[in-house]
Amino acid sequence: MTYTAPPAFTTRPDLVGTFGMTASTHWLATASAQAVLERGGNAFDAAVAGAFVLHVVEPHLNGPGGDLTAVFATADAPDSPTVLMGQGPAPAGATVEHYRAEGLDLVPGSGALAAAVPGAVDAWLLLLRDHGTWELGDVLAYAIGYARDGHPITARVTETIGAVSDLFTEHWPTSADRWLVDGRPPAPGDLVANPAYAAVLEGLVAAGEGPTVTGRGGAAPVSEDAPTGREDRIEAARTEWAEGLVARSIDEFVRRPHRHSSGTDHAGVIRASDLAAFRAGFEPAATVEFRGHTVAKTGAWGQGPALLQVLALLDPLPDELLDPSTADGAHTIIEAQKLAMADREAYYGDRDVPLEALLSSEYADARRALIGPRASLELRPGDLVPGARPLAALRTDDEASGAVAGVGEPTVGSFAETPVDDDPLAAASAEPAVDATGATRGDTCHIDVVDRWGNIVSATPSGGWLQSSPTIPAIGFCLGSRLQMAWLDEGTASTLEPGRRPRTTLTPTLVSRHGRPVVALGSPGGDQQDQWQLLYLLRTIVGGYTPQQAIDAPALHTTAFPGSFWPRTWTPGGVVVEDRLGDDVIADLESRGHRVTRAGDWSLGRLSSVTRDPATGVLSAAANPRGAQAYAAGR
C-alpha cells in the first residue's frame, strides 16, 4: 500500500520567496505583519504588530483580556526552541470553595468567574522587548489605526454577535452598547471602531514616554524622567498594563454580579492585585523526535505534549498506517489520539507532571499495544502514577443537557458547510461554535512569521472573546474564560487552585531538522488544534505533501475524551470528519465501531504555516481556505 497522493489542485499557491513570510487567520493581521517586515522589522516585531491587529479584527476569537502561547527560535540560537508563556493563572479569590458556595459544579463557560488573569498583552510586550527591534509605538500603530478609525467587520464576527445579542440586550448592557447598532449586530462590511481600546494602546505607548507637562505646545515629555532605552520604554508599558487603567477598570467592573453560562448571576473574583502579580515568561520547549524532525511544544501546563505523545506512538509504524486519508490510517491515528488525550486528562496541569516518562519510547511501546482493530469506547489513561485518573465525572452531551437547559439553544458553527443544529457533536466541530449564553467551544486565532535572518515564531492568541463576559466600557474589551478548563472536583491534575494556570488548549508548533527550525505551524480549534496539526505533520513529513496540500487535505478529529470547554462533555467513540474523506473510508470507520459525524466538505481545521529551508534560505507560507478569511503573504 502506498501513501495517498495529494491532489494536483490546491485552493491557494504555496508562497515561496527569500525575504519574509507571514500567515494568519485574518488578512489584515497578515498584511500588517508583512508591512513590518518590509520596513525592516524582524519576525518578532511583525508577529506582535499582527497580534494586536487580531485583537481588533477578530474580537470573537481573541482579545486583550485573553491569553497566548508561542513557540519560537531566533537566528542567533536556532537550536533552542523557546516557549513564550502568556497564560495567566487563576486569581487569588478563585477557590473551589467559593465556586461551590455559589452553587456551581463546573467553572462557567462565560462570565467573569471564568476569567484567568489576562496574559496576552504582557506576553507580547515581553517578546517585543527581548527579541524585537522596533519601538512600541511603531508596532502598535497598525492596531491603533484600526481601533481608532475602524475596520470592515467580517461576517464571522457579526454572526457571533447575533448569536449572543439577546444575552447582551437582556443581561450584558455594556456589551450591547459596544457591539449592537440600534439593537442589531452590525452588517458585514460595516466600519467598526473601538476607541476605548485605541486609548488603552495609546496609554501603553505614552507610559514609555514618561511624565508629561502641558504648555502652549500641548503635552510634551519630561525627558529627564522618561525611560532612556527601548527596553525600558516597553517595560514601562508592561507596568502600565498591570497596574494602571486596565487593572483598575477590571477590578471595579467585575464586582457587580452578571449573568454566566450557568444561567445564574455572579460577581467576579479577579482583582487589580492579580494583574499586578502576573508577568509572562520564557521557558524551554518540550520536544520529541519524529522521522528525523524535532517537534517542539509547550510544557504539560498546556495540551501540547499530547501531540508529542501521539508522534511517539506512531513513529515506528508503517507509513500506510500514518495516512489520514485511508481507513486503516484514520483508525490508527484516531486510536493513538484517544490514548494521548486520556493521559492529558489524567496527568496534564500546572503542577508536577511525569512528562519525561510520558514521552519515553518505553511508555509509547506499552501504549501502542492497546491500539486494536476496533474503536475503543473507553477513556484509557496510563498507569505511570498510582491513582492518577480523570477523577471528574465523565458526562456525555445528553447527560449534561440538564445543566444547560434554559440558557439558550446552541447555534450552528459558522464555518460548517451543512446545518448541524440537531447534533451537538457536529456543532462542536465547527468554528466558531457559540451558544446564546456566550459559552464557546474552541475559538482561537493564529499567526506565523519567518524573516530573512532566520527568526521564526508560531503563536496562538485566544480568549477574551467578545462573548466571554460583559464588555468593560472604560477599556473597550472583556475578560477571557480560560478558567473553564479547571475542574471543581478535588484531586484531578487540573483542579482549580489560586495562582495555578488552567490547562490551556493553546498549542502552537515549531519543527526543526538538524538543529535548525524549518516549520512554524498552528491552528485555532480548542481540543482539535493538535489533532489537525498532526494531520499536517504526517502528510508533509511522511507523505511528502507541500504545506498548502496538507492544509487543503480532508481533516478529521476525535471527541472521545472530556472536552476542555464548558460543559466538559465527551462522546465515547466520537469522530468528526469532513465528507471529502470519502464514503468508503467513512463506512469502514463506522464498521469498526467509530461514531462518525459528517461535518461537510470544508469545515474542519484552520491551519496556517510558514517554513524555511536552512540550506538555501528559501521561505514559504500557506493558509487555510475554510471560512475564506485566513491569508498568507510574503516574498
Side-chain angles (χ1 to χ4, degrees), residues 78 215 260 422:
H260 285 56
D422 297 329

Side-chain angles (χ1 to χ4, degrees), residues 78-147:
D79 59 346
S80 299
T82 302
V83 171
L84 171 63
M85 194 290 295
Q87 175 56 64
T95 65
V96 169
E97 293 76 16
H98 177 79
Y99 285 63
R100 292 290 189 186
E102 293 283 307
L104 300 169
D105 62 356
L106 290 172
V107 177
S110 66
L113 279 180
V117 177
V121 168
D122 187 65
W124 286 124
L125 296 181
L126 174 64
L127 184 68
L128 181 66
R129 186 197 73 180
D130 286 7
H131 297 289
T133 63
W134 274 26
E135 290 287 349
L136 179 61
D138 295 328
V139 169
L140 294 185
Y142 302 89
I144 290 172
Y146 287 125

Side-chain angles (χ1 to χ4, degrees), residues 26 28-30 32 48-58 142-143 146:
H26 196 290
L28 291 180
T30 295
S32 299
V48 176
F52 277 94
V53 170
L54 287 172
H55 287 169
V56 179
V57 301
E58 290 194 316
Y142 302 89
Y146 287 125

Side-chain angles (χ1 to χ4, degrees), residues 160-197:
T160 301
I161 296 170
V164 290
S165 59
D166 288 345
L167 171 69
F168 287 1
T169 301
E170 297 172 15
H171 299 289
W172 294 0
T174 58
S175 293
D177 291 342
R178 169 71 189 87
W179 293 109
L180 300 181
V181 181
D182 296 327
R184 299 178 181 274
D190 284 355
L191 283 178
V192 173
N194 190 344
Y197 185 45

Side-chain angles (χ1 to χ4, degrees), residues 179-571:
W179 293 109
L180 300 181
V181 181
D182 296 327
R184 299 178 181 274
D190 284 355
L191 283 178
V192 173
N194 190 344
Y197 185 45
V200 168
L201 296 180
E202 290 169 336
L204 298 183
V205 176
E209 297 173 347
T212 60
V213 293
T214 302
R216 182 174 297 177
V222 180
S223 58
E224 61 268 22
D225 295 326
T228 57
R230 190 188 75 91
E231 292 80 6
D232 292 335
R233 287 188 283 276
I234 295 172
E235 193 60 27
R238 296 180 73 195
T239 300
E240 168 62 25
W241 171 266
E243 301 177 14
L245 172 67
V246 169
R248 295 192 302 270
S249 300
I250 290 172
D251 189 315
E252 178 183 359
F253 185 83
V254 302
R255 294 174 185 266
R256 296 188 291 273
H258 54 271
R259 183 58 48 93
H260 285 56
S261 62
S262 55
T264 49
D265 292 351
H266 309 275
V269 295
I270 191 170
R271 299 291 180 259
S273 56
D274 295 308
L275 275 79
F278 173 77
R279 288 295 186 274
F282 300 117
E283 59 188 59
T287 62
V288 77
E289 299 297 314
F290 176 77
R291 301 290 180 94
H293 295 73
T294 302
V295 182
K297 304 291 289 184
T298 70
W301 49 268
Q303 70 171 336
L307 174 61
L308 304 183
Q309 284 192 249
V310 176
L311 292 172
L313 284 168
L314 297 178
D315 193 11
L317 296 177
D319 289 359
E320 58 264 26
L321 293 182
L322 278 60
D323 184 350
S325 296
T326 68
D328 286 342
H331 170 78
T332 302
I333 291 165
I334 290 164
E335 292 304 298
Q337 287 175 332
K338 289 179 186 177
L339 293 171
M341 295 304 250
D343 281 341
R344 184 194 78 165
E345 292 306 304
Y347 295 109
Y348 290 19
D350 189 14
R351 57 195 70 233
D352 290 335
V353 178
L355 191 55
E356 183 177 352
L358 287 166
L359 299 181
S360 69
S361 58
E362 294 81 9
Y363 186 68
D365 291 343
R367 298 289 277 162
R368 191 182 307 109
L370 297 176
I371 299 176
R374 292 193 56 79
S376 171
L377 302 182
E378 302 176 82
L379 191 68
R380 299 182 291 175
D383 296 318
L384 285 175
V385 179
R389 288 288 185 274
L391 298 178
L394 296 178
R395 302 186 300 173
T396 65
D397 285 295
D398 290 340
E399 291 167 338
S401 60
V404 299
V407 296
E409 293 299 320
T411 63
V412 181
S414 61
F415 287 112
E417 199 171 68
T418 54
V420 291
D421 308 68
D422 297 329
D423 192 329
L425 177 60
S429 74
E431 300 293 329
V434 182
D435 74 22
T437 73
T440 307
R441 295 189 182 188
D443 278 16
T444 311
C445 53
H446 187 79
I447 185 167
D448 303 297
V449 187
V450 61
D451 64 31
R452 62 190 185 275
W453 300 289
N455 299 300
I456 187 169
V457 58
S458 171
T460 309
S462 186
W465 311 311
L466 65 87
Q467 64 274 16
S468 294
S469 60
T471 297
I472 302 170
I475 54 179
F477 59 86
C478 63
L479 293 170
S481 55
R482 187 66 58 186
L483 280 193
Q484 66 182 289
M485 297 177 183
W487 293 103
L488 298 182
D489 301 78
E490 296 287 356
T492 76
S494 53
T495 296
L496 179 67
E497 185 175 335
R500 290 194 183 274
R501 294 166 291 186
R503 188 200 67 210
T504 180
T505 55
L506 306 180
T507 178
T509 301
L510 189 70
V511 182
S512 300
R513 188 169 175 84
H514 305 309
R516 301 281 177 170
V518 294
V519 179
L521 167 69
S523 174
D527 292 318
Q528 286 76 55
Q529 289 179 32
D530 274 337
Q531 298 194 58
W532 295 335
Q533 291 181 73
L534 173 67
L535 306 180
Y536 175 104
L537 295 174
L538 295 177
R539 283 171 167 144
T540 55
I541 295 174
V542 183
Y545 287 42
T546 69
Q548 193 64 53
Q549 288 171 338
I551 289 171
D552 285 354
L556 71 158
H557 64 263
T558 177
T559 54
F561 54 88
S564 296
F565 296 88
W566 186 89
R568 309 302 300 272
T569 57
W570 78 310
T571 304

